[in-house]
Amino acid sequence: MLTKYDYIETIALELKSTTDYNFQYKIGEVLKVYSKYKNWTYEMPNSSGGDDKNDGWIVEEKRFYQIYSPQQLRDSLRKDIQEKFQEDLEKLLKLIYVDNKWNGDINDFIFIVNTMDRNLPHDSTRYFDNEKERLESLYGITFNAKVVNVDYIKDLLEEMEINELQSISARLRVTSIIDYNALSAKFFYEFIDILNEGIQRKFRERIDTESTSYERISSPRKIVINNLEEVSQEIEGIILELNILEDIISTVYQDIDYADKFERIVSYTIKTYETLTNNYSGVELYHKIVENLISYTEFKRSYEYPAKILIVYIFDKCDIFEKEEVS
């Protein structure tokens, strides 16, 4: 079953993969559904009617959107964004306060940039704040202005219910390409990457493993029952390190969407285990689970130990391998 997070991830990926007018159109479709969900009126002016520096606005909120999606990201992206922001905002304010367009007032100016797979360039000189203040002084007004990327849209998507997300997916024609298993795998690799970072941080800071304890559930007998004696030392050693994983779960995965995400990671691992039990058992099964989980990574050795930590964590929670008999 597809979750809310599946739709959010797929919509975000679709937006990042488009450019020019297609990006503007798809952002508009998202904002239409979002505004309807909030009982607001969203208007998207026809671009063929002239350049009014208004790619869409929420009437009741006096919130104006300008959308910038270059065909390719150049080294001069920061300067390009600055120039476009300054040009569009200055022109929009003139249209609002001199030509009395768009009801003659503004509360918010949201400048959405498609940075694709990159972050927004830094603004260490506070260029955008300075431009906003200059124009506020010019017109004797105050308003909010910010430069954002698709992460801003993801925040709006997270406010909505799954029905609205399904509607957006249908409008963007991405429903048919949502792959539950592929997304589960993506979440797994993302988590392993975070876990790897936690392991490296622990090594750098020389954190005492006894400073934060992990409450073990299984006993050494479970290792014997499953014929894992050959890797018992490895498993026991990893169990002593499971506090690293629990720390990550408690900090990175607090949000409800991230909680769902971690459940998907665990389910993905359990499904891999269940598939492999048809042909393997004992130590061979243990190694095959690791091998299959990291099979799609280019650099497998850096993923192997974090994957083992996750497997042993699920092993200790008794979700994989034969359970101990309760007396």
Side-chain angles (χ1 to χ4, degrees):
M1 179 180 176
L2 296 173
T3 67
K4 178 177 175 178
Y5 196 84
D6 295 328
Y7 286 101
I8 292 172
E9 282 295 299
T10 306
I11 292 166
L13 287 172
E14 175 68 15
L15 294 174
K16 290 178 182 179
S17 67
T18 56
T19 58
D20 294 341
Y21 178 73
N22 284 332
F23 181 73
Q24 178 180 331
Y25 168 77
K26 289 176 181 180
I27 291 289
E29 291 299 304
V30 174
L31 292 173
K32 281 179 189 175
V33 176
Y34 174 72
S35 297
K36 185 176 180 181
Y37 173 72
K38 301 287 282 188
N39 291 318
W40 292 333
T41 306
Y42 181 76
E43 294 181 356
M44 190 161 64
N46 188 336
S47 59
S48 63
D51 187 4
D52 283 333
K53 300 303 178 185
N54 177 8
D55 290 334
W57 69 308
I58 298 175
V59 179
E60 294 84 354
E61 297 295 294
K62 303 174 186 176
R63 182 177 302 156
F64 292 81
Y65 290 95
Q66 189 65 20
I67 301 167
Y68 177 47
S69 182
Q71 288 187 341
Q72 58 183 4
L73 301 183
R74 306 185 301 176
D75 292 339
S76 60
L77 180 62
R78 183 163 69 96
K79 188 171 185 298
D80 295 341
I81 293 172
Q82 289 177 347
E83 290 177 353
K84 192 78 167 66
F85 174 90
Q86 186 272 333
E87 175 191 337
D88 289 353
L89 179 55
E90 193 159 26
K91 178 73 179 292
L92 175 65
L93 293 179
K94 180 179 180 297
L95 290 167
I96 291 174
Y97 291 104
V98 177
D99 299 342
N100 201 35
K101 286 198 170 188
W102 317 118
N103 292 348
D105 201 8
I106 182 174
N107 285 338
D108 305 297
F109 177 71
I110 312 296
F111 190 79
I112 303 177
V113 183
N114 186 7
T115 56
M116 300 176 191
D117 60 345
R118 291 163 59 176
N119 294 323
L120 281 164
H122 67 82
D123 184 28
S124 57
T125 62
R126 316 313 301 162
Y127 175 87
F128 304 112
D129 288 341
N130 293 334
E131 275 300 301
K132 178 182 82 80
E133 290 169 8
R134 179 181 71 82
L135 292 167
E136 284 179 327
S137 177
L138 178 65
Y139 288 100
I141 58 172
T142 59
F143 64 98
N144 301 309
K146 57 184 175 181
V147 178
V148 299
N149 59 11
V150 172
D151 288 342
Y152 169 83
I153 298 297
K154 287 182 71 173
D155 289 340
L156 301 187
L157 295 172
E158 288 174 359
E159 291 183 34
M160 290 183 267
E161 304 299 330
I162 197 162
N163 287 343
E164 284 71 33
L165 299 177
Q166 288 171 339
S167 173
I168 292 170
S169 296
R171 287 166 178 254
L172 302 187
R173 299 180 182 178
V174 297
T175 306
S176 60
I177 65 172
I178 298 177
D179 186 334
Y180 185 94
N181 291 326
L183 283 169
S184 295
K186 178 181 180 294
F187 299 157
F188 170 80
Y189 287 115
E190 179 186 284
F191 182 78
I192 290 297
D193 190 46
I194 295 170
L195 182 54
N196 206 359
E197 181 187 34
I199 294 167
Q200 293 176 39
R201 185 174 61 251
K202 176 180 180 295
F203 176 77
R204 290 194 303 270
E205 297 174 357
R206 300 293 195 275
I207 299 172
D208 183 356
T209 55
E210 295 180 359
S211 62
T212 53
S213 60
Y214 169 78
E215 188 174 340
R216 181 173 181 165
I217 295 175
S218 67
S219 76
R221 178 164 168 72
K222 185 173 180 180
I223 295 174
V224 176
I225 292 171
N226 288 281
N227 298 316
L228 294 169
E229 293 95 329
E230 188 179 320
V231 290
S232 62
Q233 189 173 353
E234 176 175 277
I235 292 173
E236 292 289 355
I238 290 173
I239 286 174
L240 294 175
E241 305 284 350
L242 288 180
N243 58 287
I244 301 173
L245 186 146
E246 286 205 324
D247 287 346
I248 290 170
I249 296 171
S250 65
T251 54
V252 180
Y253 285 76
Q254 292 175 346
D255 182 280
I256 186 168
D257 287 324
Y258 284 114
D260 171 75
K261 199 172 178 181
F262 184 67
E263 287 178 9
R264 289 278 295 276
I265 293 164
V266 172
S267 297
Y268 177 71
T269 307
I270 292 172
K271 185 176 179 180
T272 301
Y273 159 79
E274 290 173 344
T275 300
L276 292 169
T277 51
N278 296 322
N279 299 303
Y280 305 98
S281 62
V283 174
E284 189 178 15
L285 174 58
Y286 174 76
H287 288 315
K288 282 291 180 182
I289 297 170
V290 177
E291 182 183 318
N292 275 260
L293 287 176
I294 66 173
S295 61
Y296 295 105
T297 63
E298 184 177 357
F299 304 105
K300 295 180 173 56
R301 283 178 292 184
S302 64
Y303 274 71
E304 183 176 329
Y305 187 66
K308 285 180 178 179
I309 289 181
L310 180 62
I311 291 165
V312 172
Y313 176 79
I314 300 171
F315 169 90
D316 186 57
K317 298 296 183 186
C318 301
D319 289 323
I320 57 174
F321 287 91
E322 294 299 319
K323 299 178 182 179
E324 303 163 72
E325 294 182 5
V326 180
S327 57

